[in-house]
Amino acid sequence: MSLGFHLKKEREKRNWSQVEVAKKVGITNAVLSNYERDYRDPDTETLKKLADLYNVSTDFLLGRTENSSPMNMDEEEFKKAISDPELKRWYSELPNSNEEDLQKLRKMWEIIKNEDK
């Protein structure tokens, strides 16, 4: 699916007109219409504004993922962490862990989360 398709679909999901969205983002409705018809591509800042307005990720709008949820920092850090070869191996073996070990990991995770507060 194209960027224009996703932009139009997200706008229509919310029952917003092109004029409404254009005002919120700071562009003209003619420019938005060109984006939705794939005649033009938005600049990076406008793309971010549209993604924020629709509460979706830029990757979703660009058709790079089917997951529309914007990734938060915890998810980004998690993805970086599991790209580490040692952690990736450990994480891939996690489903084979017994329940007692999983409970310990949950407790450790709660402690780590509470340290950040």
Side-chain angles (χ1 to χ4, degrees):
M1 306 286 176
S2 71
L3 171 62
F5 172 85
H6 285 292
L7 290 173
K8 184 175 181 179
K9 185 174 178 181
E10 291 302 314
R11 178 179 58 77
E12 289 177 342
K13 257 202 272 189
R14 290 156 180 81
N15 295 315
W16 291 342
S17 69
Q18 284 184 338
V19 173
E20 289 174 293
V21 170
K23 275 185 187 176
K24 291 173 193 257
V25 178
I27 57 176
T28 67
N29 64 306
V31 169
L32 180 61
S33 175
N34 284 332
Y35 296 160
E36 289 186 358
R37 292 183 294 157
D38 289 314
Y39 291 167
R40 288 185 55 193
D41 288 332
D43 59 67
T44 306
E45 283 307 308
T46 303
L47 181 63
K48 285 189 226 176
K49 287 178 185 177
L50 288 162
D52 289 345
L53 178 66
Y54 296 139
N55 195 32
V56 297
S57 69
T58 54
D59 277 352
F60 174 75
L61 289 178
L62 293 168
R64 295 180 52 164
T65 181
E66 294 297 312
N67 180 3
S68 65
S69 300
M71 204 183 315
N72 64 33
M73 288 306 283
D74 287 343
E75 289 173 295
E76 287 178 25
E77 289 172 15
F78 175 75
K79 285 195 175 200
K80 284 179 190 172
I82 63 169
S83 67
D84 177 302
E86 254 328 280
L87 288 175
K88 195 171 192 170
R89 185 178 59 77
W90 174 82
Y91 183 73
S92 68
E93 294 171 7
L94 194 57
N96 302 324
S97 301
N98 62 42
E99 188 58 33
E100 185 179 329
D101 289 340
L102 291 173
Q103 286 295 336
K104 288 177 186 175
L105 285 171
R106 286 184 192 107
K107 254 186 188 172
M108 287 172 35
W109 177 245
E110 287 304 315
I111 291 168
I112 292 168
K113 280 191 342 187
N114 290 329
E115 280 184 0
D116 289 342
K117 293 180 181 177

